[in-house]
Amino acid sequence: MTQLRKVMAEQAASNPQQFWGEAAKAVDWASPYQEVLTQGEQAHDYQWFSGGKLNTCYNAVDRHVELGRGEQAAIYYDSPVTDSRETISYNQLHREVKRLAGALQDLGVTQGDTVVIYMPMIPQTTYAMLACARIGAIHSVVFGGFAAKELATRIDDAKPKIVISASCGVEGAKVLPYKPLLDEALNLSAHSVDACLIYQREQCQAQLQAPRDHDWLDCCERASDADWVALDATHPLYILYTSGTTGTPKGVVRDNGGHAVALTWSMKHIYDVGAGEVFWAASDVGWVVGHSYIVYGPLLVGATTVVYEGKPVGTPNAGAFWRVIQDYSVKSFFTAPTAIRAIKREDPNGDWLSQYDTSSLAVLFLAGERCDPDTLHWAGERLQKPVVDHWWQTETGWSICANMMGSDPMPVKAGSPCLAIPGYQVSVVDESGEPVEPNAQGAVVIKLPLPPGTLTGLWGNPERFYQGYMARYPGYYLSGDAGYMDEDGYLYIMSRLDDIINVAGHRLSTGRFEEVLCSHPAVAEAAVIGVHDNLKGQLPLGLVVLKQGVELSEDALQQELISLVREQVGAVASFKLVSSIPRLPKTRSGKILRATMRKIADNQSYQTPATIEDPSTLQLVEQTLHQMGVKD
Ligand code: COA
Ligand code: AMP
C-alpha cells in the first residue's frame, strides 16, 4: 500500500468525522449539519450529516449555473438507435428540471412522496430524477428491460403517487412500446397511482387514458418553475430495487447528504474527473451505475455526462464506444466487462478501435461483475490505457474497492479490484466471523459504520435490512460476496454467497426464476442456477420436475417456460436454458443442492455431500446438462 493511501485509510477509520467532514466541504449546504457521524447504541444504528440541510438537485444543477457554467454542456445525448444527438447545457438542464418539477407539483407530488420512473436512456429520464430530487420526492427508477409483473411488484412496494414514463424504448432495431407494459403493471398492482406522466417519443405514440394519464410537454407548458427545497441530509433521495435471495426485490434507500458527499469525493479521487471534463458511464439509468455515474456523480462536480442510447456492438458496429469517446472527448469511461467481451468477440484485433481517436481517454473503469484477466489485458493492450476493475454493489452506491486514479494510482493486479477505499474497512472472515489468513477464501464483510452514500435501509422493511446485512456478523455488513485478500491487501471477489446470479452485469435472483417456473401448471419443483457463459459471465439455467401425469413434450415445455420467464421477469433475464429432470438432488432435510449442481455445470470437481438423500440424482443432473449441451 502506498504511503498516501495508507494515511487516508487510517484517517477515515480512526477519525471518520474529520475525514468526511473535510469531504463535505465540496457540497453546498443550505444549513450546516450538527455532526458528521451520529452513532447510536447499536453498530448498525448511525447517520451521516444529521441536522444538515441541502438539496441534491441544487448541487447538481443550479450551483453550476450560479458559478458561471451555464453555457457548458451538462449532458451529451447520443442515440445511434434513433440517429439523434443533442447537447444539453447546464442552463437548459436547469430550465427543464425547474419546469418539470413544477409540473410534478401540479400533479400533487410533494416532499416525501414516492415517484416511479420507468424510462429509457434519454435525457428526460435524467430530468425526471433531478425534478424529483428538487422537490424532495423520492424517485424509484425501474429498468426498462423488466416485464410488467416486475414493475408491478416495485409499484406495490414503493407505492408511488405518480409514475413517470415514456412512450417507448429503442433497443437495437426494436421499438419497444412502454405504455402497454405500464398499463399492465398498473392493472396487476394492488396500489393505485394518482397520475401517469408520459413523455411521447416520435418513434411511437402512447395512448393516454384520461383522466389518469398526462402528456409531459403539455404539463410542462402549463406549469410554473419550481424552486428547490432544503431537505434533511438524511431525507431519502431515491429507492432502487435490486435482487435479493428471495423473489421479492429489495428497495435500497439512499439519503441526500451522504450520497452527495461520497459521490463528489469519488469523482475526484477514484475517477479523476472534475468540472468541465467529460465522464461516460455506458450503463443504464435503471441500475445503480446509472444513478451514481450517469446522473448524480458527474453533475455534482460540474462535469459533462454522456447519455448513450445504444449497445457496445450492433449499433451499428463494434466501434460504437470508441466513436463516442472520440466525438465527446471522454476523459474517463466506465462500462461492464461483458460489454468489452462483446466488442472483443466482434473485433478481436481492434480494427474498429484503430479508426477512432481515443487519445482523450485517461482510464477505462470496469465493474458490475468479476472482471476476467483476459478481458482486462485485451482492453489494456488495445487501448494502451490503464484499465481499472472496481467492486461495488447497489447497496453501497459507489465503489468499495478501487484503484484511486485521482489521488494515488497503484499497480494493477489482474483479477482484483484493488484495495478497499478509505472509509470501507473490508475483511474476509470464516463461518465464525474470524479473519482468515491472506489468500484464504471467506465471506467478505465491511466493518460498520459504512461510509457516507451507502444504503440507509430497505424501503419499508427494517427487519429484512437487519437480517439480510447486519445480523450474520454483528458489527459488520455482510456483502453477500465471497473472495480472498492477498498479503498486499488486494481483494479478489470470486462468487456470491447467496442465490444471486450476474447476467451481463445485471443482478438477478434465482429465487425469482424458480417462483416463475413453479407457477407453470405442469411444474412440481424447480431449481435455477447460474452457469458460466463466455459473453455474459453467467446465464440462468433451470431444471424442473414435472407433476405426475403431465403429458407435454420436452420442446413444448421448454418453449412455454422460456416465454413465461420472459413475460414475468423480462427479456433481460436471458432465460433460454431449461429442461425437465426426474428428480432434483437434495439433502435429507429437503434442501436443493444448488451449489453442487453449479459445480457440475461448470465442469468443476465436486464431492458428493454427506447429507445427500439420493446420490444418483447427481448423475441425473450430469446427464441432463450433457443433453442440454451445457456440459462437456
Ligand atoms: N428495455 C427493454 N429490453 C431490454 C433492455 C431495455 N432497457 N435492455 C435489454 N433488453 C432486452 C434486449 O433487447 C434483449 O432482448 P432479446 O432477448 O429480445 O434480444 C434482452 O433484454 C437481453 O439484453 P442484453 O442483456 O442487453 O443482451 P444482448 O444479447 O442484447 O447484448 C451485451 C449483450 C453484452 C452487448 C449487453 O448485455 C451489454 O451491453 N451489456 C452491458 C451491460 C451493462 O452495461 N450493465 C450495467 C452494469 S454496470
Ligand atoms: P449490483 O448490485 O447490481 O451492482 O451487483 C453487485 C454485485 O455484482 C456484487 O455483489 C458482486 O457480486 C458483483 N460485482 C460488481 N462489481 C464487481 C467486481 N468488480 N468484481 C467482482 N464482482 C463484482
Side-chain angles (χ1 to χ4, degrees):
M1 198 186 304
T2 65
Q3 194 52 28
L4 176 61
R5 187 144 183 174
K6 201 167 171 199
V7 169
M8 286 173 91
E10 276 167 12
Q11 280 175 346
S14 63
N15 195 345
Q17 284 83 352
Q18 196 196 341
F19 188 87
W20 292 111
E22 201 51 46
K25 289 181 186 161
V27 168
D28 272 16
W29 297 85
S31 51
Y33 42 84
Q34 277 124 32
E35 276 192 280
V36 173
L37 173 63
T38 319
Q39 182 65 59
E41 273 181 25
Q42 308 259 28
H44 63 273
D45 177 18
Y46 58 89
Q47 286 187 327
W48 290 100
F49 306 109
S50 59
K53 284 187 187 285
L54 80 164
N55 185 279
T56 300
C57 176
Y58 170 81
N59 272 280
V61 185
D62 304 49
R63 178 168 67 139
H64 307 307
V65 173
E66 289 170 13
L67 289 172
R69 295 197 162 271
E71 294 300 317
Q72 184 202 302
I75 300 174
Y76 290 130
Y77 167 56
D78 187 291
S79 171
V81 292
T82 61
D83 197 19
S84 43
R85 293 171 179 226
E86 195 184 343
T87 299
I88 296 123
S89 67
Y90 270 101
N91 278 335
Q92 190 185 343
L93 181 62
H94 190 216
R95 281 196 299 274
E96 298 278 3
V97 170
K98 281 191 297 190
R99 187 52 70 91
L100 181 62
L104 298 185
Q105 286 178 331
D106 291 347
L107 291 173
V109 179
T110 55
Q111 184 179 329
D113 285 339
T114 50
V115 171
V116 162
I117 300 175
Y118 186 61
M119 292 185 75
M121 281 296 291
I122 54 177
Q124 285 71 21
T125 312
T126 305
Y127 308 161
M129 293 163 77
L130 291 164
C132 288
R134 191 169 189 83
I135 59 172
I138 304 157
H139 62 69
S140 185
V141 182
V142 178
F143 176 62
F146 281 127
K149 178 73 178 67
E150 291 290 316
L151 177 57
T153 308
R154 287 155 177 79
I155 289 173
D156 274 336
D157 197 76
K159 300 191 175 40
K161 182 105 173 216
I162 71 163
V163 177
I164 308 179
S165 189
S167 55
C168 64
V170 184
E171 264 283 301
K174 294 174 289 189
V175 173
L176 302 171
Y178 274 20
K179 187 63 179 11
L181 282 170
L182 173 59
D183 288 339
E184 194 188 335
L186 290 169
N187 282 338
L188 288 169
S189 58
H191 173 76
S192 54
V193 298
D194 288 3
C196 295
L197 183 65
I198 309 294
Y199 181 76
Q200 297 278 19
R201 301 186 74 187
E202 62 185 55
Q203 291 75 20
C204 156
Q205 288 286 302
Q207 294 287 327
L208 302 189
Q209 294 173 24
R212 188 196 68 190
D213 299 341
H214 301 260
D215 178 76
W216 174 302
L217 293 182
D218 288 351
C219 288
C220 285
E221 223 163 75
R222 283 196 302 270
S224 319
D225 292 344
D227 208 350
W228 56 272
V229 296
L231 298 168
D232 285 339
T234 52
H235 189 283
L237 170 67
Y238 69 76
I239 308 163
L240 179 57
Y241 287 91
T242 190
S243 300
T245 40
T246 68
T248 319
K250 307 191 273 199
V252 165
V253 179
R254 193 92 55 219
D255 64 6
N256 273 274
H259 175 254
V261 171
L263 290 194
T264 304
W265 188 92
S266 73
M267 288 304 295
K268 176 175 154 71
H269 292 277
I270 299 173
Y271 301 106
D272 192 24
V273 168
E277 295 181 317
V278 183
F279 184 83
W280 178 28
S283 178
D284 187 288
V285 278
W287 307 115
V288 68
V289 174
H291 280 61
S292 296
Y293 295 113
I294 295 174
V295 184
Y296 290 110
L299 297 179
L300 279 165
V301 299
T304 305
T305 186
V306 182
V307 172
Y308 174 72
E309 190 179 29
K311 296 256 178 185
V313 292
T315 61
N317 54 47
F321 277 6
W322 320 128
R323 173 191 63 79
V324 172
I325 290 170
Q326 167 191 275
D327 289 357
Y328 305 106
S329 300
V330 172
K331 178 178 178 193
S332 195
F333 174 46
F334 181 163
T335 189
T338 187
I340 300 293
R341 288 196 295 270
I343 295 172
K344 180 178 153 201
R345 200 167 67 165
E346 291 208 1
D347 185 24
N349 300 321
D351 296 337
W352 279 111
L353 172 61
S354 61
Q355 296 188 25
Y356 297 98
D357 174 5
T358 51
S359 56
S360 62
L361 188 70
V363 188
L364 166 64
F365 288 91
L366 298 174
E369 58 180 316
R370 181 176 148 72
C371 180
D372 51 292
D374 274 0
T375 302
L376 187 104
H377 292 315
W378 183 85
E381 279 159 22
R382 298 283 153 216
L383 282 166
Q384 290 295 307
K385 303 280 156 96
V387 181
V388 166
D389 175 19
H390 58 329
W391 171 55
W392 51 301
Q393 312 181 304
T394 305
E395 286 85 346
T396 62
W398 62 291
S399 54
I400 309 163
C401 284
N403 211 334
M404 291 166 51
M405 299 309 282
S407 49
D408 195 18
M410 293 183 64
V412 168
K413 292 195 192 185
S416 168
C418 203
L419 272 69
I421 291 287
Y424 288 100
Q425 296 178 67
V426 177
S427 44
V428 181
V429 298
D430 63 17
E431 286 279 303
S432 58
E434 289 303 314
V436 297
E437 293 294 313
N439 300 313
Q441 286 238 23
V444 183
V445 298
I446 309 170
K447 190 163 189 266
L448 297 173
L450 296 180
T454 50
L455 83 170
T456 56
L458 292 181
W459 185 250
N461 208 335
E463 190 53 24
R464 192 174 181 194
F465 172 63
Y466 176 72
Q467 293 299 340
Y469 302 106
M470 311 298 181
R472 177 70 182 82
Y473 297 106
Y476 291 83
Y477 163 87
L478 178 69
S479 72
D481 284 318
Y484 63 92
M485 202 179 265
D486 71 13
E487 320 48 29
D488 301 324
Y490 281 68
L491 191 73
Y492 295 76
I493 297 293
M494 302 310 288
S495 60
R496 289 286 305 187
L497 291 163
D498 51 21
D499 295 327
I500 286 171
I501 59 170
N502 198 313
V503 180
H506 309 318
R507 171 169 158 180
L508 300 166
S509 151
T510 54
R512 175 73 187 121
F513 289 108
E514 289 175 5
E515 261 177 34
V516 174
L517 294 178
C518 288
S519 72
H520 188 284
V523 173
E525 254 190 314
V528 174
I529 53 170
V531 294
H532 175 78
D533 179 70
N534 283 340
L535 175 66
K536 297 195 176 184
Q538 281 186 303
L539 281 177
L541 177 144
L543 294 180
V544 297
V545 179
L546 298 185
K547 288 180 184 159
Q548 288 221 327
V550 166
E551 284 187 20
L552 192 61
S553 74
E554 185 66 24
D555 272 1
L557 175 78
Q558 289 177 5
Q559 284 319 312
E560 285 181 25
L561 293 175
I562 290 168
S563 307
L564 190 65
V565 172
R566 199 177 167 93
E567 270 162 36
Q568 299 278 314
V569 182
V572 72
S574 300
F575 185 76
K576 301 200 168 88
L577 299 170
V578 63
S579 173
S580 66
I581 189 165
R583 292 182 308 282
L584 285 167
K586 287 185 186 170
T587 61
R588 281 188 287 275
S589 59
K591 202 168 167 292
I592 298 174
L593 290 162
R594 293 182 186 78
T596 314
M597 290 168 63
R598 253 194 321 265
K599 285 191 175 149
I600 296 175
D602 288 341
N603 296 310
Q604 291 174 11
S605 61
Y606 67 93
Q607 285 184 331
T608 303
T611 53
I612 196 164
E613 186 188 30
D614 172 5
S616 73
T617 49
L618 294 180
Q619 273 104 56
L620 281 177
V621 170
E622 294 226 21
Q623 280 161 13
T624 310
L625 294 177
H626 189 70
Q627 279 158 12
M628 292 171 82
V630 173
K631 200 177 153 46
D632 311 337

